[in-house]
Amino acid sequence: TLTAITCPPHGFTAVNYEPYRFITIAGKAMDFGSIDGPGKDARFYDTQGVVLDGKGNLYVSEWGGQEIRKLSPVGTNWVVTTLVGKANVAGSDDGIGSAARFNGMGTITMDASGSLYVADGGNHTIRKVTPVGADWMVTTIAGLAGASGSNDGSGSTARFNNPMGITMDSAGVLYVTDSLNNTIRRMDLIGTNWVVSTIAGLAGESGSTDGAGDTARFFSPWSLSVDSAGSLYVAELENGLIRKVTPVGTKWMVTTLAGKATEMGSDDGIGSAARFNWPSHVAVDRLGNLFVTDFGNSTIRKLTLTGTDWVVTTLAGVPGTQDHTDGIGSEALFNAPVCVTVDSAGNLYVSDSNNFTVRMGYPPPLAIQNWGNDFGFVAGQFGFALTGIKSGQTIVVEVSTNLTNWLPIWTNTTGVTKFQDPQSKNYSSRFYRAYSR
């Protein structure tokens, strides 16, 4: 007989989407400062960019705090340490640790070797933060502190105007949202120099026109992410749009996925029927879903590709309500969430800037359902049906006889929804759980 079926908290998203559960993992709401320590003992002046490394550590940039912090999972806590910068002291100095200075950092990204790259908006520069032994070394790799402009070029000959978003593709190419120039820039490492070029938009021209290269128009593109195919997704603050920038031959083609230019709101819906209110960041998961911090609405949104349409839903928060409550869906409240990243299990990490905290969101648990004859014992084998499986997902079913020791017995990537355990007839009590990875 079946005693129990259990599901882990890191399941995959069902077809009929359910809200995420959000908790606070570091910082204390409405209590700011620059204190290292575990979880809610830590303090931030604000939280901006967030990025994960391959070991599950989280890195956070602080726009006003002028520091980069590291959050390391230790047991059930996240321990916060300061890597570089000095709290509330702006500047542009390169250097090691607290000798380095920043001025209004935007988002951050990481390369395969563990170095960080920062859009240093107030300095109009791009910085690199490299681990050197137990220390971190900051260098300026493009732009010139205090000198705004739009020139393409190599290293310090290039110019930016408040770059706020940065991401890196699998080939090590950097992409930057140059927010006040209304352009998307590309940075290629050639020899020892980073060469900057403009791939979309036209400096000094705002608008919302889709098109190729400099025929496209943006209005305050704030940040961006890149998918495994090399396409970029841009959160456009002033237009209230989510845009896609796709390489086509030697050109980059800009298209609008969701929202309507300059029409702010909070409506869920398909494509241009959806509304955002200052979307500040977009992250893409391994299945191609997009997650957006809707800064002005204080909500977390999701874009799912259905056929050729992008369907926008709200995962958490209540539009127009600023608070700091943990919980599920509309119970979870934010105050100007500014950036989001997603791990391989589908967990979200959000910089909740005006709450001075970092939040974590768990995807809805996988539901094992009774679908007629697919549930229970059939010909001596216990089976059940799974819902929400998407092409390309790896689904694992594990079994246990004591709810302590778990053994994976079924791994599937082909979209099969029916599971049967050929060994179930040999056990009087057997537990099951299923998850995606």
Side-chain angles (χ1 to χ4, degrees):
T1 61
L2 179 71
T3 304
I5 301 177
T6 64
C7 307
H10 306 315
F12 57 84
T13 303
V15 173
N16 296 317
Y17 198 77
E18 299 177 12
Y20 275 50
R21 176 186 294 275
F22 279 87
I23 62 172
T24 301
I25 62 172
K28 185 178 180 181
M30 308 309 296
D31 191 354
F32 57 85
S34 179
I35 300 174
D36 290 341
K40 294 182 180 180
D41 291 340
R43 295 292 182 270
F44 301 90
Y45 273 104
D46 52 34
T47 51
Q48 185 80 14
V50 285
V51 67
L52 283 161
D53 68 15
K55 298 179 181 179
N57 300 300
L58 190 66
Y59 300 83
V60 177
S61 59
E62 293 185 88
W63 182 83
Q66 317 298 353
E67 295 178 312
I68 296 177
R69 318 288 290 277
K70 180 179 180 179
L71 283 69
S72 303
V74 179
T76 59
N77 283 318
W78 290 78
V79 177
V80 178
T81 54
T82 302
L83 303 184
V84 289
K86 188 171 183 180
N88 280 340
V89 180
S92 60
D93 295 348
D94 290 338
I96 295 176
S98 61
R101 297 290 182 268
F102 301 89
N103 186 12
M105 285 180 282
T107 67
I108 55 178
T109 192
M110 176 173 276
D111 67 17
S113 67
S115 291
L116 298 168
Y117 299 82
V118 184
D120 195 2
N123 280 322
H124 312 297
T125 56
I126 306 301
R127 318 288 292 278
K128 182 177 181 180
V129 187
T130 307
V132 180
D135 297 316
W136 291 77
M137 169 71 74
V138 178
T139 54
T140 302
I141 61 173
L144 184 65
S148 63
S150 60
N151 294 345
D152 290 337
S154 176
S156 61
T157 67
R159 294 291 181 269
F160 299 88
N161 194 356
N162 197 39
M164 290 304 297
I166 190 167
T167 192
M168 178 175 276
D169 69 14
S170 59
V173 177
L174 289 169
Y175 300 90
V176 176
T177 47
D178 199 1
S179 64
L180 294 186
N181 277 327
N182 298 313
T183 56
I184 310 299
R185 316 289 292 275
R186 171 176 172 153
M187 296 176 56
D188 293 89
L189 183 59
I190 300 178
T192 58
N193 295 316
W194 287 89
V195 178
V196 180
S197 57
T198 303
I199 62 172
L202 184 64
E205 297 287 337
S206 63
S208 59
T209 307
D210 289 341
D214 61 6
T215 68
R217 295 291 181 269
F218 298 89
F219 190 9
S220 192
W222 204 249
S223 62
L224 76 174
S225 291
V226 61
D227 68 14
S228 58
S231 292
L232 305 174
Y233 299 88
V234 179
E236 199 174 358
L237 202 70
E238 295 286 354
N239 269 333
L241 300 176
I242 305 301
R243 316 285 290 276
K244 184 176 182 179
V245 187
T246 307
V248 180
T250 59
K251 296 284 189 179
W252 289 80
M253 179 64 67
V254 179
T255 55
T256 301
L257 304 185
K260 189 171 182 180
T262 71
E263 291 194 12
M264 303 301 175
S266 59
D267 295 348
D268 289 339
I270 298 174
S272 60
R275 296 290 183 271
F276 300 90
N277 187 7
W278 282 27
S280 53
H281 189 63
V282 57
V284 56
D285 71 11
R286 60 188 179 83
L287 301 175
N289 301 303
L290 305 180
F291 299 89
V292 175
T293 43
D294 198 355
F295 181 86
N297 280 322
S298 288
T299 56
I300 312 299
R301 316 288 291 278
K302 181 181 180 183
L303 280 72
T304 305
L305 184 60
T306 304
T308 58
D309 295 320
W310 288 87
V311 179
V312 180
T313 54
T314 301
L315 303 188
V318 175
T321 300
Q322 292 81 39
D323 211 325
H324 50 79
T325 309
D326 290 340
I328 299 174
S330 61
E331 296 174 353
L333 298 177
F334 300 84
N335 192 351
V338 67
C339 286
V340 60
T341 192
V342 57
D343 68 18
S344 60
N347 301 307
L348 303 180
Y349 302 84
V350 176
S351 54
D352 197 3
S353 63
N354 285 358
N355 277 326
F356 316 109
T357 57
V358 180
R359 315 281 290 276
M360 181 176 179
Y362 297 92
L366 167 64
I368 299 175
Q369 295 190 351
N370 179 352
W371 280 4
N373 293 331
D374 295 325
F375 186 85
F377 280 94
V378 177
Q381 297 181 6
F382 184 80
F384 49 80
L386 301 171
T387 62
I389 296 178
K390 297 180 181 179
S391 178
Q393 277 187 308
T394 298
I395 308 300
V396 179
V397 173
E398 296 181 335
V399 297
S400 174
T401 58
N402 56 14
L403 288 176
T404 300
N405 301 311
W406 292 90
L407 176 69
I409 63 169
W410 190 71
T411 302
N412 182 269
T413 60
T414 60
V416 173
T417 60
K418 299 176 183 178
F419 164 78
Q420 284 189 310
D421 179 5
Q423 294 297 315
S424 55
K425 60 185 177 182
N426 299 325
Y427 295 86
S428 60
S429 179
R430 197 153 160 93
F431 302 86
Y432 299 84
R433 67 182 183 185
Y435 62 94
S436 66
R437 69 181 186 191

